[in-house]
Amino acid sequence: MNKVIELIKLRKTYQRHFWTPVQTVLKGLNLEVEPGQIFGFLGPNGAGKTTTIKTLMGIIRPSGGRALVFGKNSWETGPKQKVGFLPESPYFYDHLTGREFLNFCGRLFNINSLILKDRTKELLALVNLTHAAGLQMRKYSKGMLQRIGLAQALINDPELVVLDEPLTGLDPLGRKEFKDIILGLKSKGKTVFFSSHILPDAEMVCDQVAIINKGKLLRAGNLNQLLNAKIKAVEFGCRNISPKTEKLLSELSFSTSQIQEQWLFPLKQESDVPRALEVIAQNGGQVVSVVPQKESLEEFFAREVAQDE
Amino acid sequence: MNKIWAIAQNTFIEGLRSKTLYALLAYLFLILFSVTALVPLTLGEHSRILRDFGLAGIEFLSIMLAIVVGTTLVYKEVEKRTIHVIVSKPVERFYFLLGKYLGMELLLGLMIILMTLIFAAGVLILDGKFPLGLLLPAGMAFLKVSVINSIALFFSSLSSPILGAVFTFCLYLAGTLSRDILSQAQLLPPGLIKTILKLFYYLLPNMGNLDLKNQAVFDQPVLWPQVWWSLSYSGAYILTVLMITSLIFEKKDFK
Ligand SMILES: Nc1ncnc2c1ncn2[C@@H]1O[C@H](COP(=O)(O)OP(=O)(O)OP(=O)(O)O)[C@@H](O)[C@H]1O
Ligand SMILES: [Mg+2]
């Protein structure tokens, strides 16, 4: 029921000429995005992320299966009233200024001109382009195009925002700003679907992820559940320990390290924590910290993709 | 409606801010100067020659503009992927085509008005009276150019600009000769070739239908029925071409 995005056995094939072999880019993708989710759509180069997003935006048509946006076929114009889209490495009309471009985009949604004027101003400020609003976009840098691209994606105050690699081409400050904007959208109850290669950043903003490779879905689900399912190690920190404690603890852990006074033992198993505490209690020393080490999204991603290869 | 108008305006502004237009305008002045330089060499009939040249020049240059700019219109949007922005918004693809077409019409209309004014001024200086007779043929040139514009748009959404320009130009030439094709066909015995030639005649834009140049040059009275016929012919032709283009465009995948 009322899914924002629903892919059902989505297939896309390309054939350059009728005599060249058919290339299957999407091989039956199934995916569901619920309202209010920040959905990270991940995969290595050439996995089919952009192809999927283009299908969702009605830029290309599925060769098989269905791509539904707000329950309607993605090429229909109806649902697009509530959708905002930032294309991959965006390029816009050279001859327009940033402000003119936002005005143009707003008019494609039939937005009232007074509202549009205010919103243009707000959005230019939001993406930090007020100073370049009167500059023709031929003179924009890559990051500036990315920024104006995000602004135009928000011009209709969309319920669903689809971003194809929104963070590439931005400086570290820009990334932070974009992440804040995405989180801001979430707090307003919007749904965000974005693809990214910058996994640490993706990990910070999204609550759901899907990983695809070679046109197939590898994993999808809640980010915390996916990562928590596998606790790599528990980092056990202590100080003032006796040589005997050190010896016993190092038997339980992958390695041993010492920074000044403090010792770190990454325990092999979560269930070894009581044993480690016991060792300290019996042989002397102070416990400083017990930190479970989650797998990072980056490691999870690398492992999933490697398994698939 | 507002959406179509937004796209038309954008196309118009793009044309105004592009260099092609200014290159063509510069060319126009070149022709104008060479004509005014030549005119004193011919005895009498100054204004006749200027009118002749003027009308031919207006038509030729605006056809060139329609071909050069028109065949890049849609192609550029697809190639540079600016069309992603439009298609992902609630805009029917047909509206996009219509907007592009109308924007180009605005540009061509402006060009023709400008050129007509310039030539009219030339005649005014030579003759001492404003050549009202120029206005109707200029309007007819606009009709021709509108037809060519629709054909350019058709090729623009099908193939690359250079190929499109070549095809459009060929169709223009063939269209100018289409009367002859028909008369040749009438001479042939009935058969396949005759049918094909006749088919060609009906497919080609019949530029002869849209020609009133002689009337201006010889100051003949206007034949209104012919004007109405030209209007409806070009209107129907343009609509048909736009419909076919839209059919092809509707399910197209953009890269
Ligand atoms: N128009 C096209 N014609 C033929 N093949 C295509 C076309 N577009 C994409 N492909 C192929 O589809 C595959 C997936 O491409 P896609 O752009 O969706 O990948 P991606 O996941 O977005 O990659 P990246 O991370 O590099 O952006 C690639 O192998 C590509 O070669
Ligand atoms: Mg991509």
Side-chain angles (χ1 to χ4, degrees):
Chain A
M1 40 157 280
N2 62 357
K3 305 269 187 294
V4 177
I5 292 176
E6 203 172 354
L7 305 181
I8 305 162
K9 294 188 180 157
L10 180 66
R11 281 171 27 85
K12 181 70 195 174
T13 56
Y14 280 113
Q15 189 173 24
R16 205 156 276 284
H17 303 286
F18 66 88
W19 63 85
T20 51
V22 178
Q23 190 191 358
T24 308
V25 176
L26 299 179
K27 300 165 186 161
L29 269 188
N30 292 302
L31 205 67
E32 286 176 359
V33 179
E34 311 262 354
Q37 289 182 339
I38 306 282
F39 201 105
F41 190 49
L42 316 172
N45 289 125
K49 302 182 294 295
T50 301
T51 308
T52 309
I53 289 178
K54 276 163 75 181
T55 314
L56 280 173
M57 293 296 102
I59 295 165
I60 58 180
R61 291 218 178 190
S63 314
R66 304 183 72 187
L68 304 177
V69 178
F70 293 113
K72 300 258 172 58
N73 279 319
S74 62
W75 62 80
E76 290 173 36
T77 38
K80 291 178 187 158
Q81 196 70 34
K82 297 187 286 183
V83 177
F85 171 50
L86 168 67
E88 184 178 34
S89 41
Y91 173 91
F92 306 118
Y93 301 100
D94 268 346
H95 63 278
L96 292 182
T97 68
R99 188 181 288 117
E100 286 170 337
F101 178 57
L102 290 188
N103 182 55
F104 170 69
C105 290
R107 288 174 64 193
L108 297 182
F109 285 102
N110 265 339
I111 299 175
N112 170 292
S113 62
L114 285 176
I115 299 175
L116 185 54
K117 209 169 167 191
D118 285 347
R119 204 171 283 166
T120 303
K121 208 167 148 191
E122 269 168 43
L123 285 173
L124 283 168
L126 181 72
V127 298
N128 248 325
L129 273 184
T130 309
H131 64 283
L135 197 66
Q136 278 191 7
M137 287 190 291
R138 76 174 85 235
K139 295 175 188 153
Y140 276 24
S141 72
K142 195 173 168 202
M144 288 162 87
L145 283 174
Q146 199 84 14
R147 284 163 188 266
I148 199 78
L150 182 63
Q152 65 81 32
L154 301 178
I155 195 84
N156 57 331
D157 192 22
E159 290 304 311
L160 166 67
V161 185
V162 177
L163 311 167
D164 198 352
E165 299 196 15
L167 300 175
T168 42
L170 292 172
D171 57 33
L173 274 179
R175 282 190 206 170
K176 167 97 176 55
E177 286 164 20
F178 266 46
K179 282 186 284 180
D180 289 344
I181 292 173
I182 292 174
L183 291 173
L185 289 170
K186 183 187 168 72
S187 69
K188 283 198 259 171
K190 315 286 188 186
T191 311
V192 182
F193 183 84
F194 73 102
S195 75
S196 183
H197 284 135
I198 305 174
L199 296 182
D201 284 334
E203 188 172 354
M204 286 169 71
V205 291
C206 48
D207 39 45
Q208 298 283 316
V209 293
I211 299 179
I212 66 165
N213 191 24
K214 296 175 184 165
K216 278 181 312 197
L217 186 71
L218 296 185
R219 289 295 283 272
N222 180 282
L223 180 69
N224 285 328
Q225 282 170 10
L226 286 178
L227 297 185
N228 268 339
K230 211 153 155 84
I231 289 188
K232 266 195 328 193
V234 178
E235 200 176 69
F236 194 82
C238 46
R239 65 167 85 162
N240 299 334
I241 55 173
S242 63
K244 176 140 189 251
T245 311
E246 188 201 330
K247 183 169 173 295
L248 288 171
L249 284 180
S250 61
E251 280 166 11
L252 295 174
S253 34
F254 291 114
S255 61
T256 312
S257 61
Q258 187 189 13
I259 305 165
Q260 292 170 352
E261 300 285 87
Q262 188 156 333
W263 292 78
L264 278 180
F265 299 96
L267 301 183
K268 284 176 194 160
Q269 282 162 15
E270 210 177 347
S271 53
D272 282 337
V273 175
R275 169 88 186 104
L277 290 170
E278 217 175 75
V279 168
I280 298 262
Q282 285 167 3
N283 303 292
Q286 280 170 285
V287 179
V288 178
S289 60
V290 180
V291 184
Q293 297 270 294
K294 279 200 292 181
E295 193 172 26
S296 74
L297 180 57
E298 200 147 11
E299 289 162 319
F300 181 74
F301 176 86
R303 192 162 49 78
E304 288 292 333
V305 172
Q307 264 175 23
D308 185 55
E309 295 290 326
Chain B
M1 238 10 240
N2 187 21
K3 299 178 186 179
I4 301 176
W5 183 235
I7 293 170
Q9 244 181 339
N10 183 33
T11 311
F12 180 66
I13 293 173
E14 178 175 8
L16 278 190
R17 293 184 186 169
S18 80
K19 288 178 194 117
T20 329
L21 194 67
Y22 298 102
L24 276 175
L25 276 178
Y27 197 62
L28 168 76
F29 278 101
L30 205 76
I31 291 184
L32 189 71
F33 278 121
S34 47
V35 171
T36 35
L38 282 175
V39 162
L41 298 179
T42 58
L43 292 172
E45 302 212 306
H46 288 174
S47 64
R48 215 211 94 169
I49 289 177
L50 190 59
R51 283 178 198 197
D52 234 354
F53 261 104
L55 283 174
I58 289 172
E59 187 181 316
F60 182 71
L61 282 180
S62 39
I63 295 262
M64 276 320 192
L65 182 71
I67 291 179
V68 171
V69 179
T71 48
T72 57
L73 276 185
V74 175
Y75 182 81
K76 219 167 107 187
E77 296 243 9
V78 173
E79 212 43 30
K80 297 203 164 169
R81 292 194 253 131
T82 47
I83 196 159
H84 289 196
V85 174
I86 293 177
V87 171
S88 62
K89 294 186 172 27
V91 181
E92 306 286 346
R93 291 187 182 192
F94 179 60
Y95 288 0
F96 167 76
L97 286 177
L98 217 55
K100 285 268 130 188
Y101 179 75
L102 290 178
M104 194 60 204
E105 284 288 286
L106 283 179
L107 198 65
L108 292 167
L110 181 77
M111 278 288 284
I112 287 181
I113 289 173
L114 266 182
M115 291 193 288
T116 309
L117 286 180
I118 290 171
F119 276 105
V123 175
L124 187 67
I125 292 167
L126 277 179
D127 248 15
K129 67 172 199 251
F130 190 83
L132 278 176
L134 263 183
L135 296 184
L136 187 63
M140 292 316 250
F142 181 63
L143 282 190
K144 278 193 189 181
V145 171
S146 304
V147 170
I148 295 302
N149 182 17
S150 70
I151 296 174
L153 190 81
F154 170 76
F155 283 119
S156 175
S157 34
L158 262 192
S159 65
S160 74
I162 294 181
L163 221 56
V166 171
F167 281 136
T168 311
F169 193 69
C170 290
L171 275 186
Y172 168 64
L173 285 185
T176 325
L177 302 174
S178 66
R179 281 257 166 88
D180 301 329
I181 295 182
L182 185 67
S183 51
Q184 287 297 317
Q186 302 296 19
L187 298 178
L188 289 171
L192 188 63
I193 297 182
K194 183 166 181 170
T195 321
I196 289 178
L197 280 182
K198 275 200 153 170
L199 196 69
F200 251 124
Y201 173 76
Y202 290 114
L203 283 180
L204 289 173
N206 191 334
M207 291 297 159
N209 271 350
L210 308 177
D211 235 337
L212 291 179
K213 253 188 269 167
N214 289 338
Q215 279 163 23
V217 175
F218 298 115
D219 280 327
Q220 284 173 354
V222 176
L223 296 171
W224 287 109
Q226 202 192 337
V227 174
W228 294 126
W229 159 241
S230 306
L231 265 177
S232 15
Y233 175 79
S234 48
Y237 198 93
I238 291 166
L239 268 182
T240 313
V241 175
L242 287 182
M243 288 309 205
I244 296 172
T245 313
S246 147
L247 278 183
I248 296 170
F249 208 60
E250 194 52 42
K251 291 191 174 176
K252 197 177 157 95
D253 279 354
F254 301 114
K255 63 164 207 163

